[in-house]
Amino acid sequence: MPSPIPATPTPPAAVLCADDSPATETLRLALSQSALPQGRRLVLIGQPVLTLAASLAQMPVQAALPALAATAEAALAARRADRANTHLLIAQEALAHPQALTAMLGLAAQPLPLPAPALPDALLILLARHLIDRDPALGALEQALMAERSALQPAPLTDPLDLETARDHAADRAAARRRDAATIALLEARCASGREELEAMARQNIAIAARIDKAETSAEDSRATVARARARADQAIRDRDATRAELDRFYRSNSYRVTAPLRWLRRRLRP
């Protein structure tokens, strides 16, 4: 998430970071090793498309876009609050032109060590470019940043005789932009298809889990039925054994032996 730029008065020389992108952090560390002129404020921010691409690798689009807008607005507010003493630097541009940056800051005798930070994945850069181009608010913020920044190289003059070449380049860029848009559309379609497949697999897994739960419930019911049948069988066996024991005691009793002649006589007299 971006580091907020303080609204309170800053020290005579200060380096303020609007975001925490790798390029901004690299530039901040390099500038922290140099003594800035008194009264100079530097507001550092990463190139929007690269900052967004790096954010997309760590967070969803719904969170990355508002974060980018917030950092751009904070950087512009800090620059516009004191244009006379505040420089707005695009980190990647400053890292690419260390000599121009050193000269602008009056540090000619103190060359800055400016290593080049790693770039995000190329597909994420294409996606970030597409997202910024189709969002008017983000596109306007990007243009405002480029207009308010302290340019480290003068814009090249356009040769009137080379307008045809410029038009060709513009056409090439438009064609490249269309190809990028087509690539991004294809990537988005693949992502959507992948999400649909994952959702279908999730539904299938839920159905399988439901069947497994049902089978386990049925098995538990069957085990409970078997247990009850075994309990009834065990009780019947105990009742049988108790009855047999009672009969054995009766047959061995004195009364049964004494009445034996009477029973014999009864059987003989029975028609």
Side-chain angles (χ1 to χ4, degrees), residues 7 16 38 48 111 125:
L16 309 177
Q38 291 294 316
I125 294 176

Side-chain angles (χ1 to χ4, degrees), residues 128-140:
R129 181 73 269 162
H130 174 67
L131 292 172
I132 292 176
D133 288 345
R134 75 177 186 181
D135 189 324
L138 283 178

Side-chain angles (χ1 to χ4, degrees), residues 61-117:
V61 175
Q62 294 81 357
L65 293 180
L68 177 64
T71 57
E73 290 170 355
L76 289 171
R79 158 67 176 166
R80 291 165 179 169
D82 185 11
R83 284 191 171 93
N85 299 308
T86 302
H87 287 289
L88 175 61
L89 297 177
I90 304 298
Q92 287 82 0
E93 185 177 9
L95 294 172
H97 303 96
Q99 294 181 351
L101 176 62
T102 301
M104 184 191 75
L105 298 178
L107 303 174
Q110 305 178 41
L112 294 174
L114 300 178

Side-chain angles (χ1 to χ4, degrees), residues 111-126:
L112 294 174
L114 300 178
L119 291 176
D121 183 77
L123 290 179
L124 290 179
I125 294 176
L126 288 176

Side-chain angles (χ1 to χ4, degrees), residues 59-270:
M59 64 181 71
V61 175
Q62 294 81 357
L65 293 180
L68 177 64
T71 57
E73 290 170 355
L76 289 171
R79 158 67 176 166
R80 291 165 179 169
D82 185 11
R83 284 191 171 93
N85 299 308
T86 302
H87 287 289
L88 175 61
L89 297 177
I90 304 298
Q92 287 82 0
E93 185 177 9
L95 294 172
H97 303 96
Q99 294 181 351
L101 176 62
T102 301
M104 184 191 75
L105 298 178
L107 303 174
Q110 305 178 41
L112 294 174
L114 300 178
L119 291 176
D121 183 77
L123 290 179
L124 290 179
I125 294 176
L126 288 176
L127 180 57
R129 181 73 269 162
H130 174 67
L131 292 172
I132 292 176
D133 288 345
R134 75 177 186 181
D135 189 324
L138 283 178
L141 285 174
E142 182 182 40
Q143 293 178 4
L145 285 174
M146 300 308 292
E148 292 283 354
R149 83 191 196 284
S150 298
L152 298 177
Q153 276 197 336
L157 297 177
T158 302
D159 186 355
L161 299 179
D162 202 22
L163 291 179
E164 186 65 29
T165 302
R167 281 193 290 268
D168 291 342
H169 289 171
D172 292 342
R173 286 194 295 272
R177 189 67 58 83
R178 287 193 296 271
R179 288 195 299 271
D180 292 346
T183 301
I184 291 170
L186 178 61
L187 290 174
E188 290 179 341
R190 289 179 178 175
C191 290
S193 176
R195 283 193 295 271
E196 291 176 356
E197 291 181 1
L198 289 176
E199 291 173 356
M201 293 175 61
R203 289 192 295 270
Q204 183 179 4
N205 289 338
I206 291 173
I208 293 173
R211 289 197 294 270
I212 291 174
D213 290 341
K214 184 177 180 180
E216 289 179 346
T217 302
S218 177
E220 288 291 338
D221 293 342
S222 298
R223 284 193 288 269
T225 301
V226 170
R228 288 193 295 269
R230 285 179 176 173
R232 289 194 297 269
D234 292 341
Q235 184 62 41
I237 292 172
R238 287 192 294 270
D239 293 343
R240 182 203 63 188
D241 293 342
T243 301
R244 286 179 176 175
E246 186 65 25
L247 287 173
D248 289 343
R249 285 194 298 273
F250 176 72
Y251 290 146
R252 290 194 299 269
S253 64
N254 292 330
S255 60
Y256 183 77
R257 287 194 295 270
V258 168
T259 58
L262 295 177
R263 290 194 299 276
W264 176 83
L265 180 61
R266 180 181 178 186
R267 286 195 299 272
R268 294 298 299 267
L269 295 176
R270 182 180 300 169

